[in-house]
Amino acid sequence: MSESHHEHESSFWKKYIFSVDHKIIGLQYGITSLIFLLFGFTIMMLMRWQLAYPEQPLPVIGKIFGENRMPGGIMLPEFYNQLGAMHGTIMVFLGVVPLAVGAFGNYIVPLQIGAPDMAFPKLNMASYWSFFVGGVIMLVSFFVPGGAASSGWTSYPPLSDIATVGQTMWLFGMAFLITSSLLGSVNFIVTIFQLRVKGLTFMRLPFFVWAQLVTSFLLLLAFPPLEAASVMQLMDRLAGTSFFLPSGLLISGQPLANSGGGSVLLWQHLFWFLAHPEVYVLILPAMGIVTEILANNTRKPIGAYKLMVYAIIFLGFMSFIVWAHHMFLTGMGTAISSFFQATTMIISIPSVVILAAFFLTLWGGAIRFTIPMLFALAFLPMFGIGGLTGLPLGLAAADIHLHDTYYVIGHFHYIVAPGTIFALFAGIYYWFPKATGRKMNTLLGHLHFWPSFVCMNLIFMPMFIQGLAGVSRRLYDGGLTYAHAQGALHWNVFISMAVWTLALSQIPFIINLLVSMKCGEKVGDNPWEATTLEWATPTPPPHGNFTRELSVYRGPYEYSVPGASRDFSPQYEEKP
Amino acid sequence: MQEIPYTVAVRQDTGLYNAKMGIWLFLASEVMLFGGLFSAYVLLRVGAGEHWPLGATYLNVAIGTFNTFVLMSSSITMLMAWASLKMKNFGHFKMYQGITIALALLFLSVKGYEYSMKFKHHHFPSDNTFLAIYFTLTGIHALHIIGGVVVNSYLWGPGSKMWQAEPERFTNRIEVAGLYWHFVDLVWIFLFSVMYLL
Ligand code: HEM
Ligand SMILES: [Cu+2]
């Protein structure tokens, strides 16, 4: 009796906790990153209270944060800085990337290429647990003396070099996250190259797989320099070196005891060498998801598939030589500025190509307005706004005015929040039936989509106005003490109200996600009548995925093929 | 359940088995890691101008040269270990792999001796940027060596049981471990030239 009980227990651990099945690991990534997204969103709501009502106590819950964070419920500037740095870090490294790559990539890529699993299942598990440990370190850092890292998600020295111990935790946490993404990216690339099923040539790969492939290369090659930089910052903090500390530095009027001779710009170069490709890591998987859903719901082949593939490869290459457009204000000289300005303008071309291909796909399609489709459709103009507002930032002259203002916050949030996050929502609604055998509720979906869409714009559009008026970002009082900001400050309350409404609009989603797992409408193996291989598995797919031998005979998006009996021709069906 | 393909066999269109492609990708990322560190070195050195000390003022070139030979020899024995398996000679494999590990440990001991001499003369990473980058670069490299020793020892000891059941797969493992080892050796040659000689 106890024997069998023990066996049962160990099989539970093996099956759901330390699983090597790519689908379980994908779900683990998904659940963890959704929780982190919610957490990152929550701490941002605290910040929005402070920005809307500076110096006023936060009612009800304000007191629980304690005297060293919010004495009397009023937020200290130090705490605001911690929240700001950790909102950025958590959203990027613990929320969006693990959801887009760790969850969707893990779950969908092997299915879409007809593979039984990832190439290295054990590395896959190690990747998840390394991510998990990194996340725990980040969370624990809130409770060490001096609190969490507070030098921004960018950790610029010299501030970060002399910050409290939370910054050391941040660096250790990042080391785990970098390890995780390294293991993951090697695994994805090998899987996509080696485990494609018979007949699945590169030009027959679903665009989602292409997006994950390019993303993995970016993670593989861009993260290590940040790892190098993190080690150097750790040396600065723990061994007293001066990699990032120039000579003659004064801290509060006191000369620093360090040897000096370092360079603060060195950190910025190494950081942005990662962080620019990282923004493509945030957006490419989202584009991949949107592609799948657009094709499926317009019942049309994707416009210019090949061109999109070339565009995304080109984009991957270019993203390694644009990083210093984040550093126009560091006085690096006009020649270098011009170079990075030019590469930045060039890299916008492939993005425009991909966006244009999306709109072309819509043209004349018999559109099904499903919930995933609504989110995917909303992605297009939101990404468009985010992209267009980025162009002035890429021009050195315009950036002098706009740099470090709320204009920048508005710009990149249009890409990552109503852009990427909407695409990720779309993906959840779209693939939920494959993972569970049930559909999510449509009415709740509408209750989630429409208010979210409106609120996102009410939040981020006014930030452009504030930024153009010159309101700086990272101000704990929202600009209260700046004369030039006064004309734009009334927007702060407005934005915060919209943020809280946005939070309420996520409740239907959470209910939908939990309830539909048990009570959603039951569906078959291919409920969306889609063409790609993931829909050829049983639902939910068993360990090992496919129950029959597969071959691929055609491209990924053969919808409405003239002469075919149905309006979709799956990749695994032989041509007559 | 289906097996994962190409764990041992080579896939026609890529010409590789999974682990071999994996290690090449991993090494690509390692190139970027050390690339980042070496470019930091260049930037700091250019920034320092005249103040940058000659490597030999702090470092003992003779010891460094000796260690370079130690590591290069271990690269050769690692290659011999793999070749022995290819020729189905498990005994030779055991010997060459053992020598590889011993040479790596010798390298680490010499490195440890160098470090301790630095500390004895009160040379610390915090003294100046040269020593900072020296300790950081060689430290990270030493960690790579330690990692290699752990893996190689496992493959020499308990891991070598695989030879009985799946000889081809085991040979592949040694090949992959060898690729890593040659890379770590190569990094050292760079490191030695840059830190000790320039
Ligand atoms: C609707 C959801 C979101 C809202 C309302 C929001 C709001 C904000 C606000 C107000 C700031 C500025 C804080 C300041 O300058 O003091 C900020 C910063 C930041 N957010 Fe978000 N955010 C959201 C979602 C996201 C997502 C999804 C990501 C990433 C993928 C993200 C990444 C960042 C980063 C990196 C920063 C730091 C910017 C800096 O370096 O100054 N945010 N966010
Ligand atoms: Cu950038």
Side-chain angles (χ1 to χ4, degrees), chain A residues 272 275-277 279-280 322-326 344:
Chain A
W272 286 112
H276 185 85
V279 306
Y280 287 97
V322 296
W323 79 89
H325 61 206
H326 297 273
T344 303

Side-chain angles (χ1 to χ4, degrees), chain A residues 114-121 182 185-186 189-197 200 202 217 220-222 224-225 227-229 231-232 235 239-243 258-263 265-266 269-270 273 320 543-549, chain B residues 1-7 9-11 13-37 39-41 43-44 47-48 52 124-129 131-137 140 173:
Chain A
D117 205 313
M118 297 283 276
F120 308 115
L182 177 67
S185 54
V186 169
I189 298 171
V190 174
T191 304
I192 295 171
F193 271 97
Q194 297 280 95
L195 304 195
R196 275 168 297 123
V197 79
L200 189 56
F202 274 101
F217 270 108
L220 182 77
L221 301 177
E227 187 155 26
V231 171
M232 288 191 269
M235 289 291 284
T241 58
S242 301
F243 283 120
N258 282 50
S259 68
S263 156
L265 288 188
L266 175 59
H269 280 295
L270 292 172
F273 186 83
F320 283 102
H543 192 56
N545 297 340
F546 295 89
T547 43
R548 57 193 160 111
E549 196 81 27
Chain B
M1 182 202 145
Q2 279 174 281
E3 288 291 316
I4 296 169
Y6 308 114
T7 44
V10 166
R11 183 177 165 123
D13 55 356
T14 59
L16 298 166
Y17 54 87
N18 295 344
K20 195 157 170 184
M21 179 181 278
I23 196 73
W24 279 118
L25 292 166
F26 174 69
L27 293 183
S29 91
E30 293 278 283
V31 168
M32 296 304 288
L33 174 70
F34 284 100
L37 288 166
S39 29
Y41 166 86
L43 216 120
L44 291 170
W52 197 264
F124 293 105
S126 50
D127 282 8
N128 58 41
T129 325
L131 283 172
I133 193 89
Y134 165 76
F135 275 106
T136 308
L137 262 174
I140 291 181
R173 286 201 166 174

Side-chain angles (χ1 to χ4, degrees), chain A residues 21 24 154 203 227 316 388 427 535 552:
Chain A
D21 183 330
I24 303 289
T154 48
M203 279 304 160
E227 187 155 26
L388 285 178
W535 306 102
V552 166

Side-chain angles (χ1 to χ4, degrees), chain A residues 22-44:
Chain A
H22 73 101
K23 297 180 294 298
I24 303 289
I25 296 173
L27 293 177
Q28 287 176 326
Y29 261 117
I31 294 164
T32 320
S33 55
L34 279 173
I35 292 171
F36 273 120
L37 278 177
L38 190 63
F39 183 76
F41 189 77
T42 310
I43 62 179
M44 181 274 301

